[in-house]
Amino acid sequence: MTVTASDHISGLVLCHAGGQRLAIPAQEVDAFEPAGEAARYAGAAFESDARAPADAKVLRHRELTLSVDRVEVFATPVPRLAVPSALSSSWGGALVCFVECAGELWPVVSLERLARGDGEAAR
Amino acid sequence: MADAHGHLLFACGSSLYGVPADTASEVVNVPALTRVPGAPSHLLGVFAHRGEVLPVVDLSRLTGKPLEDTARRAVVVRTPRGAVALTATRVLGVSTLEGSFDRLGESGVHQHLRGPAHAEQGEVAVIDTQTFVEFLASAG
């Protein structure tokens, strides 16, 4: 992730998991590939009983893995939108910011936090 | 006792709420929301509005009176601690209130509601917007 002086972000991996949207800074993703091993499912951050589909993709960052339904890379710089104070402590403070990509609002979160399961099943 | 300033009154289900009119910036139709991982159930999601992200707070869930239907509109409240959109099933307009402005409870969200105040339309719980937004931040 590159944050410029104008507060834009360049390089995001847009993920869909359990019908929800998540954006992860590309800098935190070393690789993504078809699921071939057990990995924490990002959809569980929204619904604790959510399960990854058979054709899930696995994101990899160092020793950490996270599975999602599908991914796409978004390279266009976009302005970062601040996290509202009402959400500042939500999900263990893992929310980095929000961005608007392709007409939709995406929460930008840390893969490391998601993969470790911080704040999961809070609902 | 009557308040010196007007309050924007709105309903969420069968309950009436009031916010100081000078903190209510607009009433919006709630668009499709983006959910936030790990957010409490009263926080329905967020949407982008005029270049900022607004959280939508379901007052009915927060006060333990869940609605059968989802509210389609929301009152945007602005405070120095941030802005939130509060779900509304009806917006009744600005009115002067009379009655009590004591805390309605000593814990949870009810310590940020005051009343019972009275308007033509009925009994109103007045939201202490400053402390309410701080409460949401601590409960988020």
Side-chain angles (χ1 to χ4, degrees):
Chain A
M1 176 177 69
T2 302
V3 180
T4 66
S6 59
D7 250 1
H8 282 55
I9 297 176
S10 296
L12 291 165
V13 177
L14 305 181
C15 307
H16 295 264
Q20 307 300 325
R21 297 189 295 271
L22 289 172
I24 296 173
Q27 194 176 45
E28 285 195 37
V29 181
D30 299 332
F32 54 86
E33 54 204 34
E37 60 184 84
R40 186 174 293 275
Y41 180 47
F46 297 94
E47 304 290 350
S48 58
D49 59 351
R51 295 287 178 269
D55 60 348
K57 302 289 185 292
V58 169
L59 307 181
R60 194 177 296 282
H61 178 59
R62 298 176 187 149
E63 80 283 7
L64 300 172
T65 56
L66 181 76
S67 68
V68 298
D69 299 357
R70 55 193 168 91
V71 300
E72 57 187 298
V73 174
F74 190 87
T76 306
V78 286
R80 55 186 295 155
L81 302 172
V83 176
S85 63
L87 292 169
S88 58
S89 59
S90 182
W91 208 70
L95 283 175
V96 176
C97 64
F98 288 87
V99 293
E100 281 190 286
C101 299
E104 294 182 313
L105 186 64
W106 297 71
V108 180
V109 298
S110 160
L111 183 147
E112 188 170 335
R113 299 265 194 154
L114 267 179
R116 293 189 194 284
D118 295 358
E120 206 164 88
R123 297 175 68 88
Chain B
M1 188 173 89
D3 68 333
H5 307 287
H7 283 77
L8 177 67
L9 305 187
F10 61 98
C12 192
S14 59
S15 300
L16 294 183
Y17 297 94
V19 293
D22 58 357
T23 68
S25 62
E26 58 191 308
V27 177
V28 297
N29 291 319
V30 177
L33 298 177
T34 297
R35 281 183 58 191
V36 177
S41 62
H42 62 260
L43 215 153
L44 300 181
V46 297
F47 66 100
H49 185 65
R50 304 184 199 279
E52 69 177 328
V53 177
L54 291 178
V56 178
V57 175
D58 185 339
L59 281 171
S60 61
R61 290 190 188 188
L62 190 57
T63 56
K65 303 171 186 172
L67 294 175
E68 289 183 5
D69 295 323
T70 304
R72 304 287 179 206
R73 293 205 287 173
V75 174
V76 179
V77 172
R78 293 188 180 281
T79 77
R81 283 295 309 272
V84 296
L86 306 175
T87 53
T89 50
R90 282 182 301 143
V91 177
L92 306 173
V94 176
S95 179
T96 301
L97 300 176
E98 296 187 347
S100 171
F101 292 87
D102 296 330
R103 284 183 181 177
L104 291 179
E106 295 303 320
S107 63
V109 67
H110 294 96
Q111 63 185 316
H112 308 290
L113 301 177
R114 296 178 178 274
H118 301 285
E120 282 182 20
Q121 297 88 344
E123 198 169 277
V124 178
V126 178
I127 299 172
D128 184 336
T129 52
Q130 307 291 336
T131 65
F132 180 79
V133 172
E134 290 173 7
F135 166 75
L136 292 174
S138 65

